[in-house]
């Protein structure tokens, strides 16, 4: 015996509720998948040579490395691309990508004692002094050329403090789909639990290079940095600073971007170079010796340029889901724990492409109401006497049509209301 129409309608409504409620998850990336492609999750060297492809450099000692095309995002070769490791000062790329667009480079800031009070022992410093004014552009040169943690801390305090900046950096990493990254400090100083990966650092470099000031600072070889006050004249002094990136100015076509070294991380390096209209990105983390990070990065760049058109990609640098602009810098709400913000791009929510929980709930209710009404209509057609006994009158086809129209209006109102609330 077939089940009553009402039960079928109820079962169908439940099914639709489940399907609608899970639709956003199905539309997104599977949480168990590897960002950039399954091969990038494997531990061994990943490369797919074609005929005539050059051999990878011998004796690569980095625990993790990756070389990719900056324009297409194709990963040409990698090893342990998603291995979480301490990032050292290469994490400053994420800091710059998160904060740089918030302040005009000509803005002047008076440094306070408190802004320099929480620097880790042994931090790399550019020489920022308390109670003196600094232009924002000078502070950024201190970040990129001297890897100055003091300059990072001043900019972080300008941005609302260390905790807020860390939360915003984590949100920015989330928007870039940099899932291997856990931010604890804005400067990359060794902290428990702070990690990133060759894949994520390459994402940070690729995103940062799209910001003109970022590209300018990371490619600057030398600059004058403001000093203290001359005791005799009372005038402000200055001194030379030089970029600590040993490949800048030596490797042909090198653009930047950032090097680093700490006790836990060893040496880390992410670089970008351009040759014959093609730009490559390379990241090397924790080689056998500190100086090898530059040699291995240079050899991987050489290989990448030579391998053009002779290898198949083994993965892909994913696209930025929330591009940073002056008017749309990803931020974490006050009191939000690091990593909790930035799960979905704000621009998509504003344009209505991402319906949000309220709209999905309304849609589920609408589907359930429609199926319930259909079941009721079938039951009434099959048993009008029972319907009349229940309601006290026999409904005509006209009154049934009126009820359906009322239900449709109610459904549209539910969806409209949910969308309105979502966009506020």
């Amino acid at each position: 015996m077939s089940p009553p129409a009402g039960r079928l309608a109820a079962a169908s409504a439940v099914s639709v509720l489940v399907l609608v409620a899970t639709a956003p998850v199905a539309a997104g990336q599977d949480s168990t998948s590897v960002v950039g492609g399954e091969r990038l999750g494997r531990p061994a060297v990943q490369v797919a040579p074609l005929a005539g492809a050059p051999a990878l450099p011998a004796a690569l000692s980095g625990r993790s490395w990756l070389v990719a095309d900056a324009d297409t995002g194709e990963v040409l070769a990698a090893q342990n691309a998603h291995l979480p490791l301490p990032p050292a000062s290469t994490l400053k790329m994420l800091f710059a990508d998160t904060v740089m667009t918030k302040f005009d480079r000509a803005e002047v800031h008076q440094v306070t004692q408190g802004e320099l009070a929480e620097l880790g022992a042994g931090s790399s410093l550019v020489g920022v002094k308390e109670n003196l004014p600094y232009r924002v552009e000078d502070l950024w040169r201190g970040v990129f050329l001297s890897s100055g943690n003091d300059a990072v801390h001043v900019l972080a305090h300008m941005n609302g403090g260390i905790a807020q900046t860390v939360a915003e950096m984590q949100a920015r990493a989330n928007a870039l789909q940099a899932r291997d990254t856990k931010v604890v400090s804005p400067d990359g100083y060794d902290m428990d639990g702070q990690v990133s990966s060759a894949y994520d650092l390459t994402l940070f470099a690729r995103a940062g290079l799209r910001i003109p000031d970022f590209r300018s600072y990371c490619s600057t070889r030398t600059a004058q940095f403001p000093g203290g006050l001359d005791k005799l004249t009372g005038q402000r002094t200055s001194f030379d600073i030089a970029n600590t990136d040993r490949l800048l100015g030596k490797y042909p076509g090198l653009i930047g971007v950032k090097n680093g070294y700490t006790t836990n991380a060893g040496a880390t390096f992410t670089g970008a170079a351009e040759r014959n209209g093609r730009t490559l990105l390379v990241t090397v983390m924790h080689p056998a010796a500190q100086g090898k990070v530059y040699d291995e990065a240079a050899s991987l760049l050489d290989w990448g340029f030579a391998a053009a058109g002779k290898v198949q990609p083994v993965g892909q640098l994913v696209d930025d889901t929330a591009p940073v602009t002056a008017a749309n810098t990803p931020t974490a709400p006050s009191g939000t724990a690091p990593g909790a913000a930035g799960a979905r791009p704000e621009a998509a929510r504003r344009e209505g492409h991402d319906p949000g929980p309220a709209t999905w709930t309304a849609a589920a209710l609408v589907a359930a109401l429609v199926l319930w009404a259909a079941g009721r209509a079938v039951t009434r057609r099959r048993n009008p006497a029972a319907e009349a006994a229940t309601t006290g009158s026999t409904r005509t086809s006209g009154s049934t049509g009126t009820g359906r129209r009322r239900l449709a209006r109610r459904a549209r109102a539910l969806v409209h209301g949910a969308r309105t609330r979502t966009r506020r």
Side-chain angles (χ1 to χ4, degrees):
M1 180 181 294
S2 60
R7 293 182 184 176
L8 283 174
S12 299
V14 171
S15 299
V16 172
L17 279 168
V18 172
L19 289 172
V20 174
T22 58
V25 177
Q29 184 173 324
D30 183 353
S31 61
T32 62
S33 64
V34 177
V35 178
E38 180 270 335
R39 289 192 66 170
L40 297 183
R42 301 178 189 176
V45 172
Q46 299 301 312
V47 64
L50 300 173
L56 280 166
L60 292 172
S61 66
R63 292 183 62 189
S64 175
W65 54 263
L66 181 147
V67 57
D69 188 300
D71 297 318
T72 66
E74 294 178 346
V75 177
L76 307 182
Q79 176 177 292
N80 295 324
H82 285 290
L83 178 65
L85 293 168
S89 286
T90 46
L91 193 65
K92 289 182 172 74
M93 294 186 296
L94 176 61
F95 170 73
D97 184 42
T98 303
V99 176
M100 185 170 287
T101 58
K102 294 189 176 186
F103 306 109
D104 188 283
R105 61 185 300 157
E107 180 178 340
V108 177
H109 175 75
Q110 185 84 4
V111 175
T112 67
Q113 181 178 3
E115 292 169 347
L116 302 174
E118 300 176 358
L119 293 169
S123 287
S124 55
L125 305 173
V126 63
V128 177
K129 298 184 182 298
E130 61 190 55
N131 302 323
L132 286 175
Y134 289 84
R135 290 180 302 179
V136 165
E137 62 182 345
D138 288 324
L139 293 172
W140 282 119
R141 292 189 188 101
V143 171
F144 277 96
L145 276 67
S146 299
S147 204
N149 289 4
D150 46 356
V152 170
H153 277 241
V154 171
L155 288 163
H157 279 282
M158 291 176 63
N159 187 53
I162 300 297
Q164 178 169 322
T165 299
V166 166
E168 291 180 5
M169 288 172 66
Q170 189 67 62
R172 181 70 182 128
N174 293 347
L176 288 167
Q177 303 182 62
R179 297 180 184 173
D180 307 319
T181 298
K182 170 65 176 177
V183 183
V184 182
S185 69
D187 50 22
Y189 188 83
D190 282 342
M191 302 288 282
D192 290 343
Q194 181 156 271
V195 292
S196 190
S197 67
Y199 184 87
D200 287 7
L201 293 176
T202 308
L203 291 179
F204 301 155
R206 190 185 189 206
L209 288 170
R210 293 168 177 161
I211 303 173
D213 280 348
F214 183 111
R215 194 181 184 96
S216 174
Y217 294 134
C218 79
S219 62
T220 300
R221 295 176 61 184
T222 62
Q224 287 282 304
F225 193 81
L229 298 176
D230 186 286
K231 293 182 179 179
L232 295 177
T233 65
Q235 298 297 312
R236 191 78 179 267
T237 63
S238 64
F239 55 91
D240 294 330
I241 57 174
N243 202 313
T244 57
D245 179 351
R246 297 181 191 176
L247 289 186
L248 193 61
K250 296 180 179 179
Y251 187 87
L254 195 81
I255 299 168
V257 266
K258 194 70 190 77
N259 59 320
Y261 178 84
T262 65
T263 302
N264 290 344
T268 59
F269 178 78
T270 296
E274 190 272 338
R275 188 180 298 175
N276 299 323
R278 188 167 183 241
T279 302
L280 294 184
L281 291 163
V282 64
T283 296
V284 177
M285 300 185 75
H286 207 146
Q290 181 179 355
K292 285 184 173 293
V293 75
Y294 298 105
D295 296 334
E296 296 184 16
S299 65
L300 283 168
L301 285 171
D302 286 342
W303 174 86
F305 286 119
K310 299 175 182 177
V311 295
Q312 292 180 331
V314 295
Q316 183 75 25
L317 299 179
V318 292
D319 292 328
D320 182 355
T321 61
V324 173
T325 66
N328 182 31
T329 303
T331 58
S334 178
T336 301
R344 291 181 295 167
E346 181 64 27
R349 287 198 293 271
R350 286 198 301 270
E351 295 300 324
H353 299 309
D354 186 358
T359 304
W360 285 109
T361 300
L365 289 173
V366 168
L369 284 170
V370 170
L371 288 172
W372 173 83
R376 292 283 293 172
V378 170
T379 301
R380 286 195 297 270
R381 284 195 296 271
R382 289 181 177 177
N383 193 3
E387 174 68 9
T390 302
T391 61
S393 63
T394 301
R395 299 180 184 269
T396 66
S397 59
S399 62
T400 301
T402 301
R404 284 197 296 269
R405 287 193 293 272
R406 289 175 180 171
L407 181 60
R409 287 196 297 271
R410 178 57 177 160
R412 287 194 295 270
L414 277 170
V415 173
H416 176 75
R419 286 177 177 170
T420 302
R421 289 191 296 274
T422 300
R423 293 174 182 174
R424 284 177 181 169

